[in-house]
Amino acid sequence: MKKTMKTLLVVSLALMMMFSFTACSNDETTQNPENGDQEVLTMATNAYFPPYEYYDGENIVGIDAEIAAKIAEKLGMQLEIVDIEFDSIVTGVATGKYDMGMAGMTITEDRLENVNFTDSYATGYQVVIVPEGSDITSPDDLYAEGASQVVGVQLATTGDIYASEDFGADRVQQYNSGNDAVEALKAGKVDCVIIDNEPAKYYVEANEGLTILPTEFVVEDYSICVAKENTELLEKINTALNELIEDGTVQEIIDKYIAAE
Ligand code: GLN
């Protein structure tokens, strides 16, 4: 992981803005049955990624949910959050099933081939969760000669990409959510879980006997993805997002969920 993380390309802003001026045709979601005039802004997410998105009772809450609500408000649209598998978000957005994807999603070159990204609104990095007292005391142990530990990841996340590249498919177990990966760790089905830092903190706090290894990391930029054709919406979201960054709203929302260190 360390090797790949070090070489991970930090994608420049310029790359994110690859406009092609084609008309969009995302009709399915343009009417809100409950509120006649207001269009619906559908956000695809995977709601097992606290504090960015998670269930509070039946509601999906978190940093992404709150920022998205503010963006929708600025756009005069009604936000509808759809909880799907992380692996389906980019495709769902690219094919116009959802207007945008917001899921603590890192901008990567591969994803940029299928969707456009807004400016970044938050950062994260990958960490390793192990059971307390584990033989794995540093990420380097995963790279040791003859190492055979099995790593749990959430399917198609950057953690999955790094782990699969560095350790090979035989040593990686993919799960549909971070929660499932952590449950597998607790059940002894995997030896560690590689996941983003903030969800890791949540999972370790919520589950006794787990701990996070100190990790060298490369910062990943979280951003909102929009279909390549939908440049008009991308621009609108980006403008709203930047206003919310500039007036401090985004930081306020982040601070509400993440205690200052
Ligand atoms: N930041 C990671 C990625 O984009 C994980 C996102 C997630 O699990 N929701 O792949």
Side-chain angles (χ1 to χ4, degrees):
M1 181 177 61
K2 215 164 77 182
K3 208 169 50 185
T4 310
M5 288 201 303
K6 272 183 185 152
T7 54
L8 175 74
L9 226 77
V10 179
V11 180
S12 76
L13 200 68
L15 258 173
M16 290 178 231
M17 299 292 150
M18 299 193 298
F19 294 113
S20 68
F21 293 93
T22 324
C24 83
S25 60
N26 179 15
D27 295 327
E28 252 178 70
T29 56
T30 48
Q31 281 303 313
N32 176 6
E34 281 151 36
N35 192 349
D37 308 338
Q38 254 190 354
E39 280 183 30
V40 174
L41 180 70
T42 49
M43 160 182 156
T45 197
N46 177 260
Y48 297 91
F49 197 71
Y52 292 92
E53 39 270 325
Y54 58 99
Y55 280 97
D56 178 12
E58 300 209 324
N59 294 326
I60 297 172
V61 298
I63 295 169
D64 288 348
E66 287 204 27
I67 295 175
K70 294 277 184 197
I71 290 173
E73 197 182 306
K74 279 192 181 279
L75 267 49
M77 296 171 88
Q78 174 141 346
L79 180 68
E80 188 188 302
I81 303 179
V82 188
D83 179 22
I84 60 172
E85 282 169 16
F86 184 80
D87 192 27
S88 305
I89 298 174
V90 167
T91 320
V93 169
T95 55
K97 198 165 177 195
Y98 311 105
D99 297 316
M100 65 181 201
M102 195 171 186
M105 187 180 283
T106 307
I107 302 165
T108 68
E109 291 220 312
D110 278 355
R111 291 173 187 159
L112 274 167
E113 285 181 13
N114 298 301
V115 285
N116 281 336
F117 280 97
T118 63
D119 294 340
S120 177
Y121 62 89
T123 55
Y125 53 89
Q126 301 298 305
V127 295
V128 183
I129 307 178
V130 292
E132 275 166 11
S134 165
D135 289 347
I136 309 169
T137 56
S138 140
D140 288 344
D141 293 338
L142 297 171
Y143 290 89
E145 188 76 34
S148 60
Q149 308 96 333
V150 177
V151 180
V153 295
Q154 182 181 358
L155 179 67
T157 58
T158 45
D160 181 11
I161 296 162
Y162 306 142
S164 297
E165 266 179 33
D166 288 2
F167 311 124
D170 287 354
R171 286 182 60 198
V172 178
Q173 282 288 331
Q174 296 160 318
Y175 297 92
N176 279 329
S177 72
N179 193 51
D180 290 352
V182 170
E183 286 303 318
L185 179 64
K186 283 162 63 187
K189 291 181 187 156
V190 295
D191 299 301
C192 66
V193 165
I194 296 181
I195 191 168
D196 298 43
N197 59 314
E198 288 301 335
K201 284 190 216 159
Y202 257 66
Y203 284 124
V204 164
E205 220 161 275
N207 296 284
E208 245 176 75
L210 300 180
T211 185
I212 300 172
L213 298 180
T215 319
E216 270 188 53
F217 58 84
V218 165
V219 171
E220 298 181 11
D221 291 319
Y222 291 172
S223 169
I224 304 168
C225 67
V226 178
K228 281 199 184 270
E229 304 78 40
N230 217 344
T231 51
E232 200 184 312
L233 182 68
L234 178 71
E235 269 187 87
K236 279 192 200 164
I237 293 175
N238 226 356
T239 304
L241 177 65
N242 278 306
E243 284 169 14
L244 294 166
I245 291 171
E246 273 154 36
D247 73 7
T249 307
V250 165
Q251 195 56 52
E252 247 169 61
I253 294 171
I254 291 174
D255 290 347
K256 184 173 142 188
Y257 287 91
I258 301 177
E261 274 153 29

